[in-house]
Amino acid sequence: MNPFTFQCGTKMIFGAGTESQVGQELVSFGATKVLLVYGGQSIRRSGLYDRVCSAMTAAGLSWTELAGVVPNPRVSLVREGIRLCKENGVDFLLAVGGGSVIDTCKAISFGYYYPGDVWDLVSHSAQPGDQRLPVGAILTLPAAGSEESDSCVISDEKLKIKGGFGSPLMRPVFSIMNPELTCTLPLYQTACGCMDIMAHAMERYFSRTKNTEVTDRLGEAMMKVIVHNLPKVVENPHDLNARGEIMLAGTFAQNDLTGVGREQDWFNHGLEHQISGFYDIAHGAGLAISFPAWMELTLEKDECVEKVAQYAVRVWGVEMDFAQPRNTAREGIGRLRNMIKSVKLPSTLSEAGIGTERFEEMANNLTDVGKSTCGAFCPMSKEDIVRLLKAMQ
Ligand code: NZQ
Ligand code: ZN
């Protein structure tokens, strides 16, 4: 295990009806003028919007609204949010939605204090400072884990670039998590979210760092919770116990609890951000296409086989073939593919309507035009990435 520091100060408020506490939480964190940020119509259709407004009114708060966050959230709306905060004396950002809404708030919160254009932070041409507006969240979609993570992901729709930045100060100060709020999710969004949660555990799990039993077992637990509970919500979208387990796994898979003390990989997220930057597909769908194909490719390297076989045994219950551990690993990958198919996520780029035209460009972007490799568990060269993309086709 490697040395590490772990600090996650987000106050988690979990359970039925907890959104009614949002007014008092905002007041306790010093909010006086709130920017209420949300996406499209889902929170209005479910009545959540009205309940949040009532709770804020009862707490004596005033607010301004920023609606219209879209999946793969746009930097143009972040700029609009920064402007609204400055014009209205906003001192607190409240995100009501999924990862895209929370990430929009996080980018506004740092962009507010940055003297230049907020894209400088996303593109890493400038570093976030030590001042930010506090962010609170009411989570409606378990997936990105942004409700406790220290990073955000933003897209420039004109440049067709999706990038991210982070800071230890970026974790929301509170997150309200009521599993009931996720019952209105369409199956596709539920499935994309579950794939993302699995991926967050896997990016950390596939590591060459030795002596990481606690975090291996924690990561396996998050994955097994998804494998066990996703079919239950497919069967019954109102299964609140299953919704709750998925929601909690989503947070713990991405607040870095399962990632401490170990080298992490993150190649698949890097590749997925390229894909959704160019083609604007759902993040979880991109991961569903890339992860099994990447795992297959890792088996070309002897040093990766044992870990993938361990994953197959412990997460999917595959029997270990000690003579041929590659067979064990392949069976585990096959079971992941079956889960992806069973919830109708795309398995190939062509199913997602994506052609070969950007393969070279994506591989160049991830490897500094072939000068470096991408990922730690299985370092991917430019040629490896093009080969992988062809396998994903
Ligand atoms: O806009 P509305 O109408 O609310 O609809 C949303 C949206 O269309 C809908 N939705 C959300 N909650 C709902 C609901 N529909 C019905 N009932 C509900 N309860 O779901 C759609 C997708 O929402 P979005 O927020 O985009 O999804 P998700 O939470 O998966 O977030 C994806 C974004 O997070 C980034 C991704 O790259 C992507 O941009 N990520 C952020 C991370 C982080 N900050 O730590 C890490 C992740 O790896 C990820 O990269
Ligand atoms: Zn993700």
Side-chain angles (χ1 to χ4, degrees), residues 32-78:
T32 59
K33 185 72 192 272
V34 175
L35 184 69
L36 169 61
V37 183
Y38 57 98
Q41 290 301 309
S42 77
I43 69 162
R44 287 191 182 263
R45 277 196 303 268
S46 66
L48 177 61
Y49 173 85
D50 291 336
R51 295 204 295 285
V52 170
C53 292
S54 301
M56 289 201 291
T57 304
L61 291 161
S62 61
W63 69 91
T64 305
E65 292 187 15
L66 179 68
V69 176
V70 293
N72 300 319
R74 311 299 200 240
V75 69
S76 49
L77 202 75
V78 173

Side-chain angles (χ1 to χ4, degrees), residues 198-264:
M198 290 280 286
H200 295 154
M202 292 194 290
E203 297 279 24
R204 294 170 168 96
Y205 187 80
F206 292 114
S207 166
R208 295 191 187 196
T209 310
K210 299 291 178 205
N211 303 314
T212 54
E213 190 174 350
V214 170
T215 45
D216 271 10
R217 300 272 184 196
L218 284 170
E220 289 157 7
M222 303 312 147
M223 294 185 246
K224 287 175 82 159
V225 163
I226 299 304
V227 171
H228 187 63
N229 288 282
L230 177 56
K232 291 188 180 181
V233 296
V234 171
E235 178 74 24
N236 173 14
H238 293 276
D239 183 335
L240 287 179
N241 292 322
R243 289 280 186 193
E245 300 293 350
I246 291 171
M247 199 174 216
L248 199 53
T251 306
F252 289 158
Q254 176 67 351
N255 72 358
D256 215 25
L257 183 68
T258 74
V260 295
R262 55 201 290 144
E263 194 174 33
Q264 306 179 8

Side-chain angles (χ1 to χ4, degrees), residues 196 200 269 283 287:
D196 196 17
H200 295 154
H269 269 69
H283 175 60
L287 292 167

